[in-house]
Amino acid sequence: MKIDVLALFPEIIAPALETGILKRVQEADKLTVNLHNLRDWATDKHKSVDDYPYGGGAGMILKPEPIFAAVAALNSEETAHIIYLTPQGTPLTQGVAESLSLETHLVLLCGRYKGVDERVRDRLVTTELSIGDYVLSGGEIAALVLIDAIGRVLPGALGDYESAHVDSFSQELLDHPHYTRPAEFGGMRVPEVLVSGHHENIEKWRYAEALKRTAKHRPDLLQKLELSEEDIAILKTAGLAE
Ligand code: ADE
């Protein structure tokens, strides 16, 4: 998988590519990330990449020419997904990250200021993605979030590849609590079931905890699922359902 990033501040992204799983998948040649500065495609002598909005108003707009030139250079085969990171995009979810991880070439376009000239969106962009309902000062951090979410689910990315697919959200529930040694710390004991060695009970406990946590913090996720009578009983006992 190759990812080309087009940004005004690519240096925001660079250090994160040199650590952890992202570093490992690149070393294993499963992922190549190329960071590009949009200014390299500026055509005038001032290297300008932005201009005032037609119709007036505050804020600057990223000019179309450098972006079209950059995408033409990076996508000469015309097979890449051109993804624009914007708060107006569709939400980035685990499912979106997993399906993008199957692509061979992505071009990530990071906005700044008031965003890009609309003609870029009309003609170039194939997908618009948002990482959440808040406004960042630019798309670079959002692009990094996307690269990280994709990088860790690339086949062979995790030592234990399966764990990316069985962990939180892949099962549409939030993750259950985790504990490690010591069994008692500051007067707090690890739940007895986890040290019992009884695998079936452990799985049941984990499922119930995940269900309760989801009901408490993300009831919207539960609405999308068909709960069994047993599920509802678990939630009732915890005072999380009527
Ligand atoms: N650029 C600025 N804010 C953003 C967001 N929430 N998601 C994606 N790109 C952005």
Side-chain angles (χ1 to χ4, degrees):
M1 143 95 63
K2 178 168 81 169
I3 301 181
D4 284 299
V5 183
L6 263 177
L8 278 183
F9 300 103
E11 62 273 22
I12 293 174
I13 301 171
L17 301 177
E18 286 161 30
T19 12
I21 290 178
L22 284 181
K23 181 182 181 187
R24 199 140 40 82
V25 285
Q26 290 174 97
E27 283 172 350
D29 282 334
K30 295 181 193 311
L31 175 66
T32 304
V33 183
N34 303 312
L35 302 178
H36 309 275
N37 195 317
L38 198 49
R39 217 171 277 285
D40 294 343
W41 281 277
T43 48
D44 64 336
K45 67 173 194 266
H46 302 294
K47 294 261 168 215
S48 52
V49 288
D50 58 335
D51 206 340
Y52 295 97
Y54 272 115
M60 300 295 273
I61 312 299
L62 292 182
K63 290 160 66 63
E65 306 95 313
I67 300 174
F68 273 80
V71 169
L74 300 175
N75 190 28
S76 55
E77 313 278 322
E78 297 203 3
T79 53
H81 268 285
I82 318 289
I83 300 174
Y84 176 45
L85 285 310
T86 165
Q88 295 134 40
T90 53
L92 171 63
T93 61
Q94 188 62 28
V96 169
E98 286 181 16
S99 86
L100 288 175
S101 76
L102 306 175
E103 298 291 334
T104 51
H105 186 197
L106 306 176
V107 175
L108 308 186
L109 174 61
C110 304
R112 275 272 150 183
Y113 319 122
K114 283 274 169 193
V116 297
D117 184 286
E118 193 67 16
R119 289 165 290 190
V120 169
R121 301 168 87 161
D122 291 344
R123 277 293 164 80
L124 286 183
V125 170
T126 52
T127 312
E128 300 195 358
L129 289 179
S130 165
I131 64 159
D133 290 338
Y134 40 80
V135 182
L136 302 168
S137 50
E140 287 86 352
I141 292 171
L144 178 56
V145 167
L146 178 59
I147 295 167
D148 191 281
I150 290 173
R152 66 185 286 283
V153 292
L154 289 172
L158 295 170
D160 178 5
Y161 172 57
E162 284 308 306
S163 68
H165 290 270
V166 298
D167 66 10
S168 180
F169 280 104
S170 289
Q171 300 171 25
E172 295 155 324
L173 292 180
L174 299 186
D175 205 0
H176 56 77
H178 298 271
Y179 296 87
T180 186
R181 289 186 287 185
E184 187 182 333
F185 173 74
M188 296 175 283
R189 281 201 66 76
V190 169
E192 214 47 51
V193 58
L194 295 180
V195 292
S196 69
H198 192 301
H199 292 293
E200 202 186 315
N201 286 351
I202 291 171
E203 280 319 302
K204 274 191 189 156
W205 180 86
R206 286 180 169 164
Y207 179 76
E209 291 301 312
L211 191 65
K212 288 188 279 180
R213 185 173 271 185
T214 309
K216 215 168 174 181
H217 299 299
R218 293 294 304 277
D220 57 306
L221 294 179
L222 278 194
Q223 306 258 292
K224 298 177 195 157
L225 301 178
E226 269 198 41
L227 297 183
S228 68
E229 276 179 24
E230 224 172 303
D231 292 339
I232 293 164
I234 290 168
L235 294 177
K236 275 186 184 161
T237 310
L240 292 164
E242 280 157 29

